[in-house]
Amino acid sequence: MADMSEARPPGAATTPPARASRQARRAAAASLIGTTIEFYDFFIYGLAASLVFGSQFFPSFSPVAGTLAALSTFLVGFVARPIGAVVFGHFGDRVARKRLLVISLLTAGGSTFVTGLLPTYAAIGAAAPILLVLCRLVQGLGLGGEWGGAVLMAVEHAPSRRRIVFGALPQMGNPAGLVLATVVTLVCTTFLPVREFQSWGWRIPFLLSVTLIVAGVIVRSRLRESPAFDRVRESRQLVRFPLGELVRKYPRALVAGTLAVTASPAVGLLVSVYLLPYGQRVLHISTVTMLLLTGVYGVVFFFAIWISAGVSERFGVRRVSVVGLVSVAIWAVPFFLLLDSRSLPAAVIAYAGVGVTVGAVNGPQATLLADLFPVRVRYSGASLTFQLSSVLGGAITPVVSTALLAATGSGLSIAVWVVAIAVISLVSVACLHLGSGVDPIEEQGTELAQVA
């Protein structure tokens, strides 16, 4: 585990308090802005995969098969994310945090912009879906390195008693990116005829990402390096092969941490991506209505993360995580009962409720994962656990949900899947804290006394 010297408040020994506070706020804001951009890219692809890519890149398939094929390209990006976590984590632990943040933003954002320029199947045949998959792979690599770096810059700059809230700001980039992507898509689908949107209008959200990329690079280029990383570098404690040390010394934290946070991407991707075609084709709810419901979820999700992080600083990461996961499991069946009623007020309640439950889980999540590992392998450890959980939860869920719905014809079968994943994460949180008899966060000597 990390030694006590790594747990000092960032910059406490060398930086005046006022200046350190400004740096902390700047790092947290830059992390929020950057992850918002990255998740905008991510969700734009997911929305397009649900609404457009089936007809534009897989036209020879049936509508259902085409959507499933398009969502499978979405899965490819998830597979690339752990690879990105390893690559960016290696250099983030060996070279610098800040520099890798800029590179990850350019990698994911650039692939999103290029996706908006791709010719469709009608223009170049089978080469079109191949290029789509390649763009998705590159996007996944960039996003794989983005989250860990953003979280660490926020947490490692943060005042000792505000690390959970500061760590939650990059998490809030997830719903912020979702809302932004949903609003842009909603505007395009509202003001463009269906045929025009399917033909070329879907490209607009992808091409608009270039403006966000430029803004993000400017903000991040003005950041200072993480003071915690600087201390490790100055003391010559850098590890030559971070992944090797991570697997050799921290396998329990890696496995338990991954499973502990699997439920949130599973439920989040289910609500924000898969349920769009489910609402359209099974419940016969319009695209505009489904996008509005997704926006409701995103807004509630955003504020729930912030509230959950504040509550965690008072009552502890462990308690809030458990309450959040239990609420995810409890809300799964009511969610589908409300949505399947085809009542708009009921659907709004359903989506708002799931926003609260997933937000409760996400609030303390970033700091929990960051503090499972010492500074010298933290970029690799936090990134890999988070991205592996995304593969297990978020990538598999749309495919499993499609299969369950086809087999049973009922959305309640998907609810059973959600409950199962929430229980797995709940048990893993218990193992993470109780397995060694000592809370891993406390064991590393961090100043999160409230976790106990």
Side-chain angles (χ1 to χ4, degrees):
M1 294 295 178
D3 55 43
M4 292 295 289
S5 65
E6 292 175 351
R8 291 178 301 172
T14 60
T15 307
R19 186 177 177 186
S21 179
R22 288 196 300 270
Q23 291 175 13
R25 291 194 297 269
R26 185 179 300 168
S31 296
L32 172 58
I33 292 169
T35 52
T36 298
I37 295 168
E38 295 281 18
F39 278 106
Y40 169 85
D41 295 341
F42 176 76
F43 285 116
I44 279 295
Y45 190 100
L47 292 171
S50 294
L51 300 174
V52 177
F53 285 169
S55 62
Q56 294 299 310
F57 291 89
F58 304 95
S60 60
F61 291 26
S62 69
V64 174
T67 299
L68 187 57
L71 288 173
S72 296
T73 68
F74 196 56
L75 173 63
V76 169
F78 278 100
V79 175
R81 284 168 67 170
I83 300 173
V86 171
V87 173
F88 282 89
H90 175 85
F91 291 102
D93 285 326
R94 286 281 302 152
V95 180
R97 311 285 207 228
K98 170 186 169 180
R99 192 179 308 171
L100 271 295
L101 274 182
V102 175
I103 295 174
S104 67
L105 184 61
L106 290 172
T107 301
S111 67
T112 301
F113 180 76
V114 171
T115 300
L117 300 174
L118 289 180
T120 62
Y121 188 94
I124 60 172
I130 293 175
L131 291 175
L132 181 66
V133 169
L134 288 175
C135 285
R136 179 63 179 151
L137 278 170
V138 174
Q139 187 191 61
L141 289 172
L143 189 57
E146 160 65 26
W147 184 88
V151 164
L152 297 192
M153 288 296 282
V155 170
E156 292 177 356
H157 276 91
S160 60
R161 296 183 180 277
R162 300 290 289 168
R163 295 176 78 242
I164 300 177
V165 167
F166 275 64
L169 287 170
Q171 291 287 81
M172 294 167 69
N174 183 325
L178 172 62
V179 171
L180 185 58
T182 302
V183 168
V184 173
T185 304
L186 183 60
V187 170
C188 291
T189 56
T190 300
F191 291 97
L192 289 174
V194 174
R195 181 174 297 180
E196 296 297 317
F197 177 75
Q198 291 283 333
S199 176
W200 58 266
W202 63 270
R203 300 179 185 275
I204 296 175
F206 288 88
L207 299 179
L208 285 176
S209 67
V210 71
T211 59
L212 300 175
I213 297 168
V214 172
V217 168
I218 291 173
V219 171
R220 286 190 165 180
S221 63
R222 296 176 178 175
L223 285 179
R224 293 179 179 271
E225 183 53 82
S226 158
F229 179 80
D230 276 341
R231 286 198 302 271
V232 171
R233 181 165 52 189
E234 291 167 4
S235 62
R236 299 187 178 182
Q237 295 181 28
L238 295 179
V239 179
R240 178 169 296 180
F241 186 42
L243 180 62
E245 177 157 332
L246 182 68
V247 173
R248 186 174 64 256
K249 293 186 176 181
Y250 308 100
R252 185 173 201 151
L254 188 61
V255 174
T258 297
L259 294 177
V261 299
T262 295
S264 58
V267 180
L269 266 295
L270 176 69
V271 173
S272 60
V273 175
Y274 172 72
L275 289 184
L276 283 173
Y278 173 78
Q280 291 171 312
R281 292 171 185 159
V282 177
L283 303 180
H284 305 291
I285 300 174
S286 71
T287 300
V288 171
T289 300
M290 290 304 299
L291 287 173
L292 287 172
L293 290 172
T294 304
V296 168
Y297 159 74
V299 171
V300 175
F301 184 17
F302 181 90
F303 289 105
I305 291 175
W306 180 256
I307 294 171
S308 173
V311 172
S312 297
E313 289 192 337
R314 180 173 181 180
F315 294 102
V317 169
R318 172 169 37 196
R319 292 176 181 173
V320 175
S321 297
V322 168
V323 170
L325 288 167
V326 170
S327 67
V328 167
I330 291 175
W331 190 248
V333 171
F335 173 83
F336 277 96
L337 291 175
L338 290 167
L339 181 60
D340 288 354
S341 71
R342 297 183 174 88
S343 164
L344 181 58
V348 169
I349 294 172
Y351 273 77
V354 80
V356 170
T357 62
V358 177
V361 174
N362 272 263
Q365 191 175 89
T367 306
L368 172 64
L369 291 185
D371 284 330
L372 286 176
F373 308 98
V375 174
R376 60 184 179 273
V377 294
R378 185 174 287 164
Y379 201 136
S380 298
S383 294
L384 192 55
T385 51
F386 183 78
Q387 301 306 339
L388 287 174
S389 74
S390 297
V391 173
L392 292 176
I396 297 174
T397 293
V399 177
V400 172
S401 299
T402 301
L404 287 173
L405 185 63
T408 65
S410 171
L412 290 177
S413 61
I414 304 175
V416 174
W417 169 255
V418 171
V419 171
I421 288 186
V423 170
I424 290 172
S425 288
L426 187 61
V427 171
S428 299
V429 168
C431 292
L432 185 66
H433 291 286
L434 302 178
S436 63
V438 180
D439 190 308
I441 293 177
E442 295 175 322
E443 190 177 18
Q444 291 184 68
T446 68
E447 297 189 37
L448 291 178
Q450 59 269 55
V451 174

